[in-house]
Amino acid sequence: PGFRRQAFRTFTQVDGLPNCDIMALHQDREGVLWLGTEGGGVVRYDGASYAVMTMEHGLPGNYVRAFAEEADGGLWIVLVRAGAWAESGVCRYDGTHLTRLDAADGMPAALVWDVVVDQDGAVWFATGAGATRYDGETLTNYTDEDGLVPGALSSAAVDCRGRVWFGSDGSGVSRFNGQRFTTFDGGDG
C-alpha cells in the first residue's frame, strides 16, 4: 500500500537531458520512454542511455507537444518551431527515418496541439482549425461545419469503445463515433 519514497529518481541535464522542461511523455510497446522537451527536441531513453533528436536531425521544431504510437511502432510527434508559435509540424518516426506532414500535404495552417491513433489505425490531430484525420494516404480536415465543436482544439483521446474525443479551448468537447461528431457544451450539463 502506498508508495516508497526511494522508488523515485529524478533525471536532469546532468544525466543527459537537453533541458528539464518536459512537456510530453510516451512509453512505447518496447518499454522505451520518449520525452518531449520545451526547446530541446525529442529524447529517447531506453533505461540506460539517452538519444536526442532535434531540428538538426530533421524535426520540424524543438518544442514537443504530444506523441502517439501506431500499431507497427511508428511514433507520431507534434512539435512547434522556436520563435514561430503559429507554426507547428507533425512527423512520423519509424525508428530510422522521419516523415513530415505539412501544409503541402493538406495539413491546416494552424497550430497542432495533440495527436491520437484510433482503433482503425487512422491518425487524428487536434489543431487550432479543427480536427484532421490521416489514413496513411489522405488528410481530411473537419470543422464546426461538420458538427465538431467550434474553435481551436487543444486535446484528443480515444476511449475504450474506439470513439475519438476532442477537447476545445472553452467550447466543450466533441466525440466522433466513426460516422459523425456529437458535441457537448456547457448547456449539456
Side-chain angles (χ1 to χ4, degrees), residues 16-79:
L17 292 176
N19 66 45
C20 293
D21 298 321
I22 309 301
M23 305 305 291
L25 293 168
H26 176 76
Q27 185 174 29
D28 69 22
R29 62 186 28 66
E30 295 179 8
V32 172
L33 187 62
W34 296 87
L35 298 88
T37 72
E38 185 78 7
V42 174
V43 179
R44 181 187 184 277
Y45 178 62
D46 63 8
S49 63
Y50 295 95
V52 178
M53 284 191 298
T54 65
M55 289 177 73
E56 293 175 6
H57 302 96
L59 291 177
N62 285 331
Y63 292 75
V64 181
R65 293 288 164 252
F67 296 106
E69 188 175 1
E70 294 178 306
D72 67 0
L75 186 66
W76 284 93
I77 309 165
V78 174
L79 306 107

Side-chain angles (χ1 to χ4, degrees), residues 127-141:
T127 81
T132 299
R133 181 181 183 272
Y134 180 61
D135 64 8
E137 294 181 18
T138 305
L139 284 162
T140 306
N141 297 307

Side-chain angles (χ1 to χ4, degrees), residues 5 8 13 18 24 26 28 46 48 53-55 62 74 84 110 112 126 143 146 158 162 164 167 170 176 178 182:
R5 209 171 195 76
F8 290 95
Q13 291 163 298
H26 176 76
D28 69 22
D46 63 8
M53 284 191 298
T54 65
M55 289 177 73
N62 285 331
V112 180
T143 67
D146 300 298
V158 178
V164 183
F176 186 73
T182 303

Side-chain angles (χ1 to χ4, degrees), residues 33-183:
L33 187 62
W34 296 87
L35 298 88
T37 72
E38 185 78 7
V42 174
V43 179
R44 181 187 184 277
Y45 178 62
D46 63 8
S49 63
Y50 295 95
V52 178
M53 284 191 298
T54 65
M55 289 177 73
E56 293 175 6
H57 302 96
L59 291 177
N62 285 331
Y63 292 75
V64 181
R65 293 288 164 252
F67 296 106
E69 188 175 1
E70 294 178 306
D72 67 0
L75 186 66
W76 284 93
I77 309 165
V78 174
L79 306 107
V80 177
R81 280 188 345 145
W85 293 111
E87 293 182 34
S88 60
V90 297
C91 60
R92 182 183 185 275
Y93 182 62
D94 66 6
T96 306
H97 299 94
L98 285 167
T99 304
R100 294 171 63 165
L101 287 179
D102 55 30
D105 300 304
M107 284 295 292
L111 199 59
V112 180
W113 286 104
D114 206 355
V115 58
V116 294
V117 179
D118 71 18
Q119 66 184 10
D120 296 324
V123 182
W124 290 85
F125 302 98
T127 81
T132 299
R133 181 181 183 272
Y134 180 61
D135 64 8
E137 294 181 18
T138 305
L139 284 162
T140 306
N141 297 307
Y142 298 93
T143 67
D144 57 341
E145 293 178 9
D146 300 298
L148 189 62
V149 63
L153 301 180
S154 56
S155 57
V158 178
D159 69 20
C160 62
R161 294 182 183 167
R163 299 174 298 191
V164 183
W165 291 78
F166 295 97
S168 72
D169 289 337
S171 298
V173 297
S174 289
R175 179 184 67 208
F176 186 73
N177 66 3
Q179 303 287 319
R180 61 183 168 81
F181 288 98
T182 303
T183 296

